[in-house]
Amino acid sequence: MKKLIAGNWKMNASLAGNEALVQGLLAGVGTPACDVAVCVPSPYLAQLQTLLAGQQAIALGAQNVSAHESGAYTGDVSAAMLKEFGVRYAIVGHSERRQHQAESDTLVAIKAERALQAGITPIVCVGETLQQREAGLTDTIVKQQLSAVIHLVGHCISEIVVAYEPVWAIGTGKTATPEEAQHVHSVLRAQLQAATEHADRIRILYGGSMNAANAAQLLAQPDIDGGLIGGASLKAADFLAIVAAAQ
Ligand code: 13P
């Protein structure tokens, strides 16, 4: 299966900075053997749509989507709006939103469904905190998080992307070992297999301090089908090195 390397810029962007970063990415990306995407803050979607026009190598992604279709939801951005700006992927349920915006498993599932309805691929994030890992709850937590999405979207589950992001590995420089990550990915794969006969084509990305130095080993694991990259997606050379490691 084609791997997917997606950058999550988080709340790091500016008009000038985006232009320089995208120019660097386009100059070096060539014709990648994997899918590549950048998930940018909403105000820059129009700029990115223009910067990425006329090429196929890099797709556009959003970092969130409203659980509502339209109406009186001040500050929300709907899936239909994202679609108008050429968005292909939308991250849903990132741990930073689960933590700071109190997003529940159910809300995340609704967001995934909204994205799918608009023809956008949701990148559904799951992952345990350090406390949960130390309590031996990793498998239980990630399965619970994914289960809400499986139940809501039904047979459309084969259209999603999953991202396993251990919370303790995000932005900390601590990466899950390839074996630790592979274990959780295999648990998620088994859960997907129980839900759909197409589980083998669902991409399960790893995220959490993935960088140019550790990407190849992580991506060599049988159930790691790509990466969701935070810090290392903000420098063209670092992100391109991860894209290269995925081929
Ligand atoms: P870092 O790569 O900065 O650890 O962030 C990972 C992440 O949260 C991607 O969504």
Side-chain angles (χ1 to χ4, degrees), residues 166-185:
V167 177
W168 49 270
I170 295 176
T172 57
K174 278 187 211 153
T175 317
T177 65
E179 295 73 25
E180 282 169 335
Q182 167 56 28
H183 166 75
V184 178
H185 283 234

Side-chain angles (χ1 to χ4, degrees), residues 100-140:
H100 304 305
Q101 264 72 29
E103 292 195 358
S104 67
D105 295 346
T106 307
L107 183 77
V108 171
I110 295 170
K111 290 183 171 198
E113 191 179 42
R114 286 281 174 235
L116 286 167
Q117 285 165 347
I120 292 170
T121 302
I123 301 177
V124 177
C125 300
V126 300
E128 82 288 2
T129 63
L130 184 59
Q131 205 181 14
Q132 289 163 336
R133 171 163 283 261
E134 284 173 349
L137 292 172
T138 299
D139 296 4
T140 310

Side-chain angles (χ1 to χ4, degrees), residues 69-176:
E69 250 184 279
S70 66
Y73 300 101
T74 302
D76 268 21
V77 176
S78 74
M81 293 172 186
L82 297 179
K83 189 71 183 171
E84 283 205 301
F85 290 91
V87 165
R88 288 265 308 278
Y89 301 94
I91 298 172
V92 298
H94 192 280
S95 62
E96 287 150 15
R97 295 198 61 85
R98 290 179 188 265
Q99 191 187 341
H100 304 305
Q101 264 72 29
E103 292 195 358
S104 67
D105 295 346
T106 307
L107 183 77
V108 171
I110 295 170
K111 290 183 171 198
E113 191 179 42
R114 286 281 174 235
L116 286 167
Q117 285 165 347
I120 292 170
T121 302
I123 301 177
V124 177
C125 300
V126 300
E128 82 288 2
T129 63
L130 184 59
Q131 205 181 14
Q132 289 163 336
R133 171 163 283 261
E134 284 173 349
L137 292 172
T138 299
D139 296 4
T140 310
I141 293 292
V142 299
K143 279 161 72 176
Q144 190 177 302
Q145 291 170 333
L146 183 57
S147 159
V149 181
I150 291 173
H151 281 111
L152 193 68
V153 309
H155 71 275
C156 290
I157 196 68
S158 59
E159 306 302 320
I160 76 165
V161 170
V162 178
Y164 169 54
E165 299 205 308
V167 177
W168 49 270
I170 295 176
T172 57
K174 278 187 211 153
T175 317

